[in-house]
Amino acid sequence: MQENIHKVQEEIAASEFKSSVGGGAVEAVMSGEKQLKSLTIKPEVVDPEDIEMLEDLVISAVNEVISQIEKTTEEKMNAVTGGASIPGLF
């Protein structure tokens, strides 16, 4: 089981996860190790009069991609461990 856990961890770390919010206005790409790889903002959403909206979109995109990584990690680890909770594993 330990070998399978290690393989899953490596697979997740090597993966990229993407989140798009605001109808594609902001896109965040993150590695499975939760390192932000890229952040794309469409020029039409950059409004100097409404910076708060842009900040909210960026926060939303980053939080969504982190949620995807955590969900994927949990699902794959549960498949390996049979749902048993192993402290410190993920």
Side-chain angles (χ1 to χ4, degrees):
M1 182 188 319
Q2 187 174 359
E3 184 178 316
N4 289 340
I5 290 170
H6 185 66
K7 284 181 184 178
V8 168
Q9 289 172 327
E10 286 180 345
E11 179 184 318
I12 291 168
S15 298
E16 282 193 349
F17 297 81
K18 182 176 10 177
S19 172
S20 181
V21 298
V26 176
E27 180 181 275
V29 177
M30 194 171 273
S31 74
E33 295 175 317
K34 298 181 185 172
Q35 297 293 314
L36 190 60
K37 300 294 234 170
S38 70
L39 182 66
T40 306
I41 301 171
K42 288 191 175 178
E44 57 267 18
V45 297
V46 180
D47 180 358
E49 301 297 318
D50 193 6
I51 295 298
E52 286 182 13
M53 188 236 352
L54 180 56
E55 291 170 341
D56 289 344
L57 287 171
V58 170
I59 290 168
S60 185
V62 172
N63 286 338
E64 173 62 30
V65 76
I66 289 171
S67 292
Q68 287 178 21
I69 294 167
E70 290 173 350
K71 181 180 178 188
T72 300
T73 300
E74 184 177 344
E75 289 172 354
K76 289 185 179 221
M77 287 300 178
N78 282 341
V80 171
T81 65
S85 179
I86 301 173
L89 184 59
F90 55 93

